[in-house]
Amino acid sequence: MSDYVTVARDGEIAIVTIDNPPVNALSFHLRQPLHAALEELRDDPSVAGLVLACAGRSFVSGADITEFGTPKALERPSLPDLIATLESFEKPTVAAIHGTALGGGLELSMGCHYRVADASARFGLPEVKLGLLPGAGGTQRLPRLIGPAKALKIIVSGNPVGTKEALADGLLDAVFESDLVANATAFVRAKAKAGEKPLPISQREDRIEAARNDLKRFDAEAATLLKKSRGLDAPARCVQSVRNGLTMPFAEALATEREYFIELLQGDQSKAQRHLFFAQREAAKVEGVDKSVKPRQVKRAGIIGAGTMGGGIAMSFLNGGIPVTILEMSQEALDRGIARIGTTYDISVKRGSLSEEAKQERMALLAGTTDYADLADCDIVIEAVFEEMAVKKDVFGTLDGIVKKGAVLASNTSYLDVNEIAGFTDRPQDVVGMHFFSPANVMKLLEIVRGEKTAPDVLATALDVARRIAKVPVVVGVCHGFVGNRMLAARSAELEDLLLEGATPEQVDKVFTDFGWPMGPFAMGDLAGLDIGWRTRKSLGKTAAIADALCEQGRFGQKTGKGYYIYESGARKPVPDPEVAALIEEKARERGINRREISAEEITERTLYPMINEGAKILQEGIAARAGDVDIVWVNGYGFPVGKGGPMFWAEQEGLAGIVERLEHWHGKTGKDVFEPAALLRQAASGGGRLSGVKTSRAA
Ligand code: 3H9
């Protein structure tokens, strides 16, 4: 008995209850008494069966991630010790699962002979998302329980499954609608009475036999799963470990799994991914919005604009089960927008990621209108119209006169001043920025822009809505481009000059993809459409020699088959174009520039370092509250490689002092503002080299 583990008896059945809030993680202080209790019960002849259950909101959700990187993580009794003890029970054991059994939690449950659960429970091995593999037998026992193909999917994706699937696959033995522990007790009592002597999972061979004889098939399935795991070590280790279970004796494969686990735990990628895990949770904690601030109720959302952005935002709400009224100016545009939503869902149905029934349910939540009056009853209205202040003024002025009191009025602006927008209404306290990222139905990031007068409960509402529609929210302050686009501008500032001075689009893009970005900035520009930036430059009276020249030739990127690259007959693969190379040389000649070899280091220093510098300025100004918030923006909105933990985390690992020194070098050479080191960056570089401890008071 301890604060973390209690043992109760129901006749001859022992019930062990774990209680380690908030998520019953397997911390050292829990492992110790749990191990002692299990050993005692195993050897107690008066005990005929064991129920392993949890108090609180969930079953065990994994190892204690806060212990990783400290000696406690590996201190014994370890989780493998606990599982080995469970497996040594000669009387039946059952895990009674409610909430989530994740990672080490699911592994612990697989030390038992049986698993039963309540209907809403979920089961998963999310270690891969922390840059790890299941390190307590998960890659060995799950395949033995449900077969290698299904296990591999769960392990490599890290995504949980529900009771229906778990029961069908054999992961679960029974589901109970209520009274989980009482039912689990009756379940194990019946097993004990029947004198059943089930094999521990580690000794079961029946589900892996077929795969052992068909490793080719296993390898093909694994290769498909690994396609999505660009540059990450953990998914490949997961696959190898499951494969070891097919080619090695259990004990050897288990020991190898442990080696892989420790190797990954000590590596840079897991460190980065664990940083992101905690940063994401920190980002949800917002100054001035504590638990006492209750969100307003949102039962219906209004979306203004049924274009690509408005449609994507509408889909996010529909996916979250929130009814939407979408508004367009003309019936034709409205019909087109709604049809596009339907076809996007159809693609998911065809791919098998959405059922036809679910599609119909979502479409049934969607109403269209061309009349602002139909938005009157919405609890939140998000505009996704043209990025021009005059247009926003019209929209917000109209909304102010129509939408019910207390509704949240949100703008999806990607760079305009939210305070000015709020000023177009008589209720600036209800106005907030909700900046989605394209395609909005797919991208996870939501920048919530806090205006000067935004009420705390409006922020709480935006955060709550974000959770309901499965977005990752980061609250930011008002400035041109907020966090993401402002840093993107800094990252892009040198791109033209790099080309003029001697680099090629493919060389720059390769530096980016080698770093781990899904694509480089020039391929990205071609994908997004070069005409967008051209139009913006023209409206601001700005020019860009090469990009403008491409647009003047009608080279708008993929949509015209030509941009920085050439795209053969509708293909998406960028192919370097000698005409572009000639154009770049011509523009350089016109400017009297002698083109030279440009190294990969120089490209990194002139693109990523200004971006980090801008991130530091953003922190300095309180536009973001924490360096981790900036990382969350970049990983979830712009494809910054997760294995590098986001720009600010990466900068710390690289060494801030070295970055400041190179920024100074480039500043001295070019005199450009983007290279002038931010005071905060200098300060952090000279005092410990950390940005992650910097906490700013958020600007409004
Ligand atoms: C593993 O198991 C390795 C093994 O294979 C091998 C070992 C040898 N540890 O997310 P929430 C904290 S690796 C420590 O806001 P929710 C979290 O930081 C692990 N702390 O709640 C937060 O703290 P705070 C594999 C943890 O209801 C608070 O709990 N398991 C852990 O939205 C509430 O969290 C996983 O990767 C942890 N394991 O979601 C599961 N988990 O309040 C990771 C959470 O101070 N966890 N915390 O900010 C999750 O996915 C979600 O937290 C969960 C609850 C679904 C459980």
Side-chain angles (χ1 to χ4, degrees), residues 620-650:
Q620 197 171 294
E621 293 165 25
I623 297 296
R626 291 157 286 239
D629 288 14
V630 176
D631 291 333
I632 292 300
V633 165
W634 273 83
V635 165
N636 291 286
Y638 297 82
F640 193 98
V642 288
K644 291 198 162 63
M648 309 319 271
F649 181 83
W650 177 76

Side-chain angles (χ1 to χ4, degrees), residues 36-54:
L38 291 176
E39 281 193 323
E40 200 179 317
L41 295 169
R42 178 193 60 193
D43 301 335
D44 183 342
S46 72
V47 173
L50 175 91
V51 176
L52 183 61
C54 284

Side-chain angles (χ1 to χ4, degrees), residues 239-255:
V239 165
Q240 184 59 45
S241 191
V242 173
R243 196 179 196 280
N244 291 346
L246 304 175
T247 59
M248 295 176 180
F250 179 82
E252 191 185 339
L254 191 69

Side-chain angles (χ1 to χ4, degrees), residues 55 76 107 124 143 153 177 193 202 327 349 352 474 510 609:
R76 298 182 77 164
E107 291 175 302
K153 244 187 223 162
E177 294 298 328
K193 281 215 169 110
S202 59
L327 177 130
V349 172
V474 178
K510 184 166 183 307
Y609 288 11

Side-chain angles (χ1 to χ4, degrees), residues 18-32:
I18 293 170
D19 189 5
N20 186 26
V23 296
N24 287 319
L26 290 156
S27 323
F28 178 66
H29 61 238
L30 161 67
R31 295 199 303 271
Q32 227 175 10

Side-chain angles (χ1 to χ4, degrees), residues 36-37 53 84 145 245 283 291 315 326 342 349 361 384 403 416 435 487 512 541 579 597 675 682:
L145 194 58
K291 285 207 170 89
M315 288 177 74
I326 192 162
V349 172
E361 272 169 25
V403 182
L416 295 176
H435 180 207
M487 287 171 71
F512 275 72
E579 279 183 27
E597 272 296 312
F675 294 123
R682 282 185 199 281

